[in-house]
Amino acid sequence: MSAQAHILVVDDDRGIRDFLTFALTHHGYAVTTAENGQEGLQKYLGGTFDLVLTDIKMPVMDGVKMLSEIRQRTPAQKAIAMTGYAVEDKLDLLKDMNLVPLLEKPFTLEALLSLVQQVITSSSVGGEP
Amino acid sequence: MEPKGIKILVVDDEVGLRDLLAFELGGHGYTVVTAQDGEEAIERLQREKFQLVISDVKMPKRDGMELLEAAKRIDPQVEVIMATGFGTIETAVGAMKMGAYDFIQKPYNMTEIQALVEKALEKSDLKSLIALYESSQAIFASLQLDRLLPVMIDLALKVLRADDASLMLVGDDGKLYLAISSGLPDTVQQNVRTAIGERVAGKVAEWKTAVIVTGSLKDDSRFGGIEGREGIRSAMVCPLVGQEGVLGVLNVNRVKMEEPYGAADIRSAAIFTAQIAQAVENARLHHSLADKIEELKRAYAELEGMKSQLIMADRLASLGQMAAGVAHEINNPLTSVIGYTDLLLQSESLSLEEREDLKVVQTQARRCRDIVQNLLKFARRRDPQKVPVDLAEVLKETMSLVEYEIKSSGVTLLLEEDPALPPVSADPSQLKQVFLNLVSNARQACEGQPESRITLRAQAVDGVVRVSCEDNGCGIAPGNLDRIFDPFFTTKPVGKGTGLGLSISYGIVKDHGGTLRVSSVEGTGTTFTIDFPFDAQVS
């Protein structure tokens, strides 16, 4: 990857946003944050992102709703969903709209970095060619 | 009472008086037997049934008083009239006290004797009815057949004046078995079962009619050459007929007593056996009622068990929700703790000491993560993905996962499986989790115990497939037994368990429609038992 990869981080927990910003910036990524799905969607529409890293359960608009809006516009948008509390039906929705990898909270730095790296460098989204 | 069939024993050492009485009473239709002294009279009484004895008091060999005493002992129902000469009134009063019916004075006044005999016989008749009534009272007093049987056989001997008696009842297999006997010689086989229609008892049961066999059975055309017991002078075999057919057969034999059974005995026996039949029926009714009550008690206990399982399930569900909420709240801050620690550890400017300390933070934070993940596993139970499963296979797979660890801790792990185990509809990976949890608990219970052993069993019982995990480890304290399925309840040292393993297992088993139970004796061992419903549709 030549240019700095740009990641949209969406989470309602400030601690998580701060940590992700710090850790990802520290490892060479550019980071934009939003604190709920609606804000995330607005920021998404105002820029170009190599990866959307989002929490699922959030006020105003949840991560699943936001991702489905994003995918309607950019079907090949790469994304990772973070969950601290698996809500089964939400996870099923994620499956339905083409595989979005799950990152279970709490995760280690290593797990975060390797998944981010893996998704960004992958040539396709989910099962798509 | 009709004189016909009534036997009177006249005892007097004066032949003239004897004959006079015999003649007079015989003329009135009584059967009269005479004896010349007490000894001869006693011998007769031992062989035959008399309704009345008229005896002189003063006689050689054994006198009237001795005879009176013996007569009452041999047959409490016999009436005795003492005849006394002048001057022996005191003796007569003594005789009355000993149970004589009355006394008459010599020389005999025939009219007086006749009236007295009739009155005495009436009393005798009444007495035998009372005896029958009392016997039935005694019979009805108990409803337990094993207590009734000795009473019945004892009464049969007395009421039907037999030397030996046996009572056969129809068993569950429809055949007659010997329920009880008294006085039978050792040579009689007691454990034979007789089909209805076979041998004498079976035929009587079939005919539902009492029969008397006098003399040799072989010569009795009704029984077509059946070999009988030697030495029986007269036998009476009576059916016990209940409301729904024959219940059994009462057999009474006279071996020593010479007098054969007659029509009067058949009548007595009919009354007696009707009472017995009623008692047997009542006892059986009571027995089946007791069975029903037991059944109800069991059903009630089962219901209670289900209720407590429901309460437990409810408690688990609400605790699960709370756990999930807590886990969620903790996850975000924990992510930061773990993440920043990991980030800091990447720095190369840390001193050795700082690095060591951070490693501790990292380890402890990850421990928190494991606890939270267990919590979530507990709260976030997915529905089982059910497929037909051979539980023995799942047990074997579980064993292969832990075998090494268990063996190296010196514990023997055994599997006993039913070869014909029906498949159950279950999620094999969830079941593996349950079995793993039980085995790992058992292993921990066995720690430091000599010759410890864990036995896994899979068997089909009572319409369920039962898996049990038995250990001979330290056991569970009685006070802890009803808490072990509670989430977060643990007796393990800090860091060795979250207190969620059994709660999760409990939930999984419940999701499979099964039950998880525990029985434990502190210091002896613990057994966990899981019953899975056997699904007939699984093939």
Side-chain angles (χ1 to χ4, degrees):
Chain A
M1 201 174 317
S2 51
Q4 205 182 27
H6 197 176
I7 301 175
L8 176 59
V9 168
V10 189
D11 200 307
D12 60 329
D13 188 301
R14 192 179 157 196
I16 296 288
R17 286 200 306 273
D18 289 353
F19 163 68
L20 287 173
T21 306
F22 182 78
L24 292 170
T25 312
H26 187 76
H27 283 88
Y29 298 99
V31 176
T32 299
T33 61
E35 57 186 71
N36 61 51
Q38 199 173 56
E39 195 193 336
L41 192 58
Q42 280 165 12
K43 295 214 167 152
Y44 180 80
L45 296 173
T48 311
F49 296 93
D50 298 281
L51 176 71
V52 176
L53 179 58
T54 181
D55 191 20
I56 291 177
K57 206 180 162 201
M58 288 180 296
V60 189
M61 182 192 284
D62 69 22
V64 175
K65 178 93 169 78
M66 182 194 75
L67 280 177
S68 69
E69 294 281 338
I70 289 175
R71 281 278 169 89
Q72 269 176 21
R73 290 167 175 80
T74 320
Q77 177 59 55
K78 290 169 178 172
I80 295 173
M82 294 177 290
T83 112
Y85 174 49
V87 188
E88 309 267 321
D89 49 345
K90 300 272 177 195
L91 293 183
D92 286 345
L93 272 175
L94 279 179
K95 271 186 208 156
D96 286 348
M97 63 180 185
N98 232 333
L99 205 68
V100 173
L102 270 184
L103 186 60
E104 279 195 56
K105 289 179 188 172
F107 39 79
T108 61
L109 182 65
E110 192 194 345
L112 168 74
L113 293 176
S114 78
L115 187 62
V116 166
Q117 172 80 6
Q118 190 193 323
V119 172
I120 286 181
T121 54
S122 68
S123 56
S124 66
V125 174
E128 278 182 357
Chain B
M1 200 178 205
E2 289 294 308
K4 195 174 180 296
I6 300 232
K7 273 166 75 176
I8 301 174
L9 180 62
V10 172
V11 194
D12 203 312
D13 56 340
E14 276 181 58
V15 65
L17 282 176
R18 238 175 25 227
D19 288 349
L20 175 69
L21 264 181
F23 178 78
E24 275 293 325
L25 293 170
H28 282 90
Y30 300 108
T31 308
V32 182
V33 174
T34 59
Q36 60 181 0
D37 55 46
E39 192 170 279
E40 193 192 344
I42 290 168
E43 276 169 23
R44 292 303 295 242
L45 280 168
Q46 279 168 338
R47 291 202 306 263
E48 299 164 54
K49 166 87 175 168
F50 290 92
Q51 278 74 34
L52 181 64
V53 177
I54 303 173
S55 174
D56 187 18
V57 175
K58 283 186 178 165
M59 288 183 297
K61 291 186 182 170
R62 304 173 85 170
D63 68 14
M65 296 307 281
E66 282 179 79
L67 169 60
L68 170 62
E69 198 221 323
K72 285 287 172 184
R73 198 179 57 240
I74 294 166
D75 180 3
Q77 289 172 41
V78 74
E79 291 301 345
V80 181
I81 296 173
M82 304 300 290
T84 68
F86 289 108
T88 52
I89 295 298
E90 278 171 18
T91 320
V93 172
M96 296 286 282
K97 281 186 184 160
M98 282 174 63
Y101 175 71
D102 208 339
F103 66 92
I104 44 174
Q105 289 202 333
K106 289 184 184 177
Y108 300 132
N109 173 335
M110 280 309 152
T111 319
E112 191 190 349
I113 280 200
Q114 184 55 39
L116 199 57
V117 164
E118 274 177 24
K119 268 170 73 184
L121 288 173
E122 257 173 44
K123 190 190 169 198
S124 166
D125 202 26
L126 198 66
K127 261 172 113 178
S128 65
L129 275 179
I130 288 170
L132 256 183
Y133 175 75
E134 280 174 351
S135 70
S136 53
Q137 286 283 91
I139 286 172
F140 284 119
S142 174
L143 283 169
Q144 274 169 305
L145 202 54
D146 53 351
R147 288 197 201 150
L148 279 173
L149 291 171
V151 178
M152 288 174 175
I153 208 73
D154 213 35
L155 283 167
L157 286 176
K158 283 187 188 138
V159 172
L160 302 174
R161 294 183 14 89
D163 294 309
D164 65 61
S166 56
L167 179 64
M168 299 176 90
L169 293 175
V170 179
D172 293 336
D173 59 356
K175 288 184 176 177
L176 290 164
Y177 69 94
L178 185 65
I180 192 158
S181 66
S182 180
L184 284 190
D186 296 340
T187 49
V188 175
Q189 265 193 295
Q190 311 228 341
N191 53 357
V192 186
R193 295 180 92 84
T194 310
I196 305 294
E198 265 178 25
R199 298 201 53 87
V200 179
K203 285 190 191 298
V204 166
E206 189 178 55
W207 300 335
K208 296 184 192 168
T209 314
V211 298
I212 290 172
V213 180
T214 299
S216 169
L217 180 64
K218 223 161 65 173
D219 304 332
D220 196 314
S221 61
R222 293 171 296 181
F223 298 106
I226 293 173
E227 287 277 345
R229 211 174 90 206
E230 292 288 319
I232 297 176
R233 289 181 202 260
S234 183
M236 185 158 57
V237 189
C238 319
L240 306 183
V241 185
Q243 293 192 355
E244 282 166 30
V246 173
L247 300 169
V249 172
L250 175 70
N251 187 127
V252 284
N253 298 319
R254 286 178 178 170
V255 180
K256 290 182 224 128
M257 272 185 270
E258 279 173 7
E259 189 197 4
Y261 282 114
D265 296 304
I266 291 265
R267 281 193 298 274
S268 295
I271 297 172
F272 184 68
T273 51
Q275 308 281 15
I276 290 189
Q278 181 75 60
V280 168
E281 229 165 32
N282 283 350
R284 290 200 167 154
L285 205 65
H286 179 260
H287 191 69
S288 72
L289 200 67
D291 280 354
K292 277 265 166 11
I293 289 170
E294 278 306 309
E295 208 175 285
L296 279 175
K297 275 189 190 162
R298 272 197 301 278
Y300 181 72
E302 211 172 285
L303 203 68
E304 281 292 295
M306 273 165 70
K307 205 171 95 187
S308 70
Q309 294 235 347
L310 275 177
I311 291 170
M312 169 69 94
D314 188 50
R315 196 159 51 164
L316 288 187
S318 52
L319 273 162
Q321 279 166 8
M322 193 198 77
V326 170
H328 184 219
E329 290 305 316
I330 288 174
N331 262 338
N332 281 335
L334 201 53
T335 305
S336 299
V337 173
I338 290 172
Y340 280 113
T341 312
D342 288 354
L343 266 174
L344 271 174
L345 276 167
Q346 283 182 342
S347 161
E348 278 159 23
S349 60
L350 290 174
S351 72
L352 196 65
E353 203 178 323
E354 285 167 337
R355 186 168 293 277
E356 288 296 313
D357 291 352
L358 268 177
K359 283 269 183 198
V360 174
V361 175
Q362 189 183 45
T363 311
Q364 296 304 319
R366 286 185 185 191
R367 210 180 109 198
C368 286
R369 180 195 58 185
D370 292 343
I371 293 170
V372 168
Q373 266 167 2
N374 263 323
L375 266 176
L376 284 174
K377 222 188 260 171
F378 164 68
R380 192 202 291 165
R381 274 201 333 263
R382 59 189 171 84
D383 285 338
Q385 309 289 309
K386 289 184 186 173
V387 289
V389 169
D390 177 358
L391 288 180
E393 275 309 307
V394 182
L395 281 174
K396 279 179 203 159
E397 284 169 29
T398 308
M399 285 172 76
S400 69
L401 290 174
V402 292
E403 218 151 25
Y404 176 76
E405 191 192 355
I406 285 186
K407 266 188 194 154
S408 59
S409 56
V411 179
T412 314
L413 182 61
L414 300 167
L415 173 66
E416 291 174 13
E417 54 175 310
D418 204 326
L421 209 59
V424 297
S425 175
D427 185 324
S429 69
Q430 289 194 350
L431 292 192
K432 223 181 281 177
Q433 192 188 338
V434 172
F435 300 156
L436 210 54
N437 177 245
L438 296 182
V439 173
S440 130
N441 286 344
R443 189 190 61 76
Q444 280 173 290
C446 287
E447 252 165 35
Q449 309 268 337
E451 287 177 42
S452 31
R453 196 176 59 249
I454 301 171
T455 311
L456 296 171
R457 286 189 191 85
Q459 53 201 145
V461 267
D462 304 335
V464 298
V465 180
R466 177 167 296 170
V467 173
S468 63
C469 175
E470 182 188 335
D471 68 64
N472 59 353
C474 60
I476 301 166
N480 290 338
L481 258 185
D482 55 355
R483 299 169 65 197
I484 58 164
F485 295 115
D486 284 357
F488 314 114
F489 178 78
T490 182
T491 56
K492 294 173 189 171
V494 173
K496 293 278 181 187
T498 56
L500 286 171
L502 280 174
S503 313
I504 295 170
S505 297
Y506 188 94
I508 290 175
V509 172
K510 192 185 142 274
D511 286 347
H512 281 80
T515 57
L516 172 57
R517 299 188 306 276
V518 63
S519 67
S520 182
V521 177
E522 200 175 10
T524 302
T526 302
T527 304
F528 282 91
T529 307
I530 308 175
D531 283 348
F532 291 103
F534 163 60
D535 185 355
Q537 289 169 338
V538 176
S539 55

